Amino acid sequence: MVKRQRGHKARLELTCEQSAILQEQASAAITLWNCLHAYWTHFPGRRPTLAQADQAIRQARTDVPFLAALPAQAVLKTYRQAWENFFNPGHPAKRPTFKSKKRRPRLAVDVPQVRTMRIVRLSARWGQLSLPMVGRVRFRWTKPLPGVGKNSPAGKVTGARLVKDAFGWSIVFRTETLVQPAAPHQGEQVGIDRGVTVALALSDGTMREHGPWLTGRETGHLRRLEKKSARQRAARPSKTRPSGREQRTYHQIARLRAKAKRRAVYWQHQTTTGLAGTFAVIKVEELAILNMVTSAKGTIEAPGRNVAQKAGLNRSISGQAWGR
C-alpha cells in the first residue's frame, strides 16, 4: 500500500458575522505575510530562525491589534513551506514575494490544527466542523472524507484551508489515503493536437469536443454587465473608489466568469481522466502559448494589421485553457 494525497473542496454555509470574521482574518493574513517577508529578508546572508520569527510575530500581534484576529502560526508555517518549495529543484514554485492589494491576492485562511475541527456528518448532503474564532460551520457533503464517519474510506484529513472565490467561502481538505500501487499501463500511445475549433484532436482519428462554456442567455447577460460596468467606470471621477452599485456589477461579472471556468475545469478533468485510463503514453505538442496570445496592435511607427481579428483569436485561445 502507498499513500495518496488528494484535495477536496466543499462549499461553506456562513452567516454574515462569520463571513465578516473570515474576511478580517484573510486581510490580517496578507498583512502578516508581508510583515514576515520584510522581517525574513531584512537580515543579509543568514536568515532568522523559526524561534526568532515566532517571537517577532507575537510582538507584532501585541503592537497591531487587528493581527490578533488570526491564528498567526499557520501563516509562519505556510511562509516556511513556500521557501522550501522554492529551493526544491523539482517544485515549480517561485520565490516568495510581497502580496500587493493592487494585484488582488486570493483571500485564504489556513486552519492551524486539524484535530480541533471536529468534523461530523449531519445528513446526506451536509457536514459540520469547527473553525478557530468562527465557531461551528456547516459545509456541503459531496464526497466521503477519510476517517470521518462509519462508512468512510481508510485514511485521515491532514489539513485544511479556507479560500474565497466569486461564489463565497469554501474549505479545501487535504486528505491522505492508502491505495494499491499503480500497475504499468498496457494501453497504446497517442498524440494530441490542441485547437480552437476542435478542442482535442487525437492521432487515432477521434476528437474531444465541447460546447460553449456559457449559454446564449448567460453570454448576453455578461455582455450587458460589461457595458454597464464601462458606463459606470466612465461616469466615476478619476482616482476615486467605485460605488456600491459598481462593485456589485463587478461581482456579477466575476460570478459569470467563474461559472464558465468551473465548467471548463470539469470538462478538462473528465476528459483527461478518460484519456489517462485509455492510453499508456500521451504526447502533446509543446506550444509557446504566451507568444501565441500577444497583441497585434504594433506601434505608432509600425501599426499592426487585423488587430480585432487577432484579439478575438487570443480570447478563443485563452478560453480553451491549453496550459491547464
Side-chain angles (χ1 to χ4, degrees):
M1 304 293 287
V2 296
K3 293 182 180 179
R4 184 177 67 179
Q5 296 179 347
R6 292 289 180 87
H8 172 57
K9 186 176 181 180
R11 186 70 57 194
L12 292 176
E13 184 185 58
L14 302 173
T15 63
C16 295
E17 293 78 7
Q18 292 174 339
S19 181
I21 293 174
L22 289 181
Q23 185 82 15
E24 184 180 0
Q25 289 185 359
S27 301
I30 295 175
T31 304
L32 189 59
W33 173 282
N34 292 336
C35 294
L36 185 59
H37 184 67
Y39 174 78
W40 196 271
T41 56
H42 173 73
F43 296 92
R46 188 176 181 181
R47 301 300 184 189
T49 62
L50 290 178
Q52 293 175 341
D54 181 72
Q55 184 62 30
I57 288 178
R58 295 179 185 273
Q59 184 64 34
R61 287 163 60 88
T62 304
D63 299 338
V64 185
F66 80 92
L67 293 180
L70 174 73
Q73 303 305 321
V75 180
L76 177 59
K77 181 179 179 181
T78 305
Y79 184 78
R80 180 190 177 188
Q81 186 63 40
W83 278 106
E84 291 181 358
N85 295 339
F86 170 70
F87 287 115
N88 185 4
H91 202 282
K94 298 181 180 180
R95 184 184 182 91
T97 58
F98 289 97
K99 294 185 178 182
S100 173
K101 288 188 176 181
K102 293 183 180 180
R103 297 181 180 179
R104 298 181 180 179
R106 189 179 189 181
L107 298 179
V109 179
D110 290 307
V111 181
Q113 296 179 353
V114 181
R115 63 177 181 270
T116 60
M117 290 196 301
R118 295 180 296 169
I119 305 173
V120 296
R121 185 172 184 177
L122 299 178
S123 62
R125 295 185 178 182
W126 291 99
Q128 193 176 49
L129 54 84
S130 295
L131 297 178
M133 303 182 185
V134 178
R136 298 295 288 177
V137 177
R138 297 206 310 169
F139 66 93
R140 290 287 294 178
W141 190 282
T142 57
K143 184 179 179 180
L145 292 175
V148 180
K150 298 181 179 179
N151 299 325
S152 61
K156 60 182 179 179
V157 178
T158 59
R161 195 179 199 194
L162 308 174
V163 295
K164 186 179 182 182
D165 54 15
F167 295 96
W169 285 93
S170 302
I171 183 169
V172 181
F173 297 100
R174 295 190 295 270
T175 62
E176 183 180 286
T177 56
L178 297 177
V179 296
Q180 294 288 346
H185 203 295
Q186 303 299 328
E188 301 178 353
Q189 297 186 13
V190 71
I192 297 180
D193 184 22
R194 291 165 289 181
V196 175
T197 304
V198 178
L200 300 177
L202 278 63
S203 59
D204 60 356
T206 61
M207 308 290 180
R208 301 294 188 273
E209 300 181 69
H210 60 79
W213 304 131
L214 293 177
T215 63
R217 184 175 181 179
E218 292 171 341
T219 304
H221 187 201
L222 177 60
R223 182 60 177 167
R224 289 192 297 271
L225 289 175
E226 290 176 343
K227 291 182 178 180
K228 181 179 179 181
S229 66
R231 292 194 302 268
Q232 293 173 334
R233 189 165 50 252
R236 173 166 48 91
S238 61
K239 298 182 180 180
T240 58
R241 294 184 176 181
S243 63
R245 292 184 178 180
E246 185 176 352
Q247 291 180 353
R248 187 159 52 249
T249 304
Y250 293 148
H251 181 67
Q252 293 174 350
I253 294 174
R255 285 180 64 91
L256 281 174
R257 291 178 176 174
K259 181 181 292 187
K261 182 179 179 180
R262 286 200 308 178
R263 292 171 180 173
V265 171
Y266 176 79
W267 180 86
Q268 288 176 336
H269 278 306
Q270 295 291 327
T271 304
T272 53
T273 301
L275 292 174
T278 305
F279 301 100
V281 178
I282 301 175
K283 298 182 179 181
V284 184
E285 181 184 4
E286 184 178 0
L287 299 176
I289 302 175
L290 293 180
N291 297 335
M292 296 176 65
V293 296
T294 55
S295 177
K297 62 181 180 181
T299 60
I300 298 179
E301 294 77 11
R305 300 176 58 186
N306 300 326
V307 179
Q309 292 84 343
K310 184 61 168 62
L313 178 61
N314 293 345
R315 285 192 296 269
S316 300
I317 294 175
S318 301
Q320 293 294 332
W322 289 347
R324 191 190 306 125

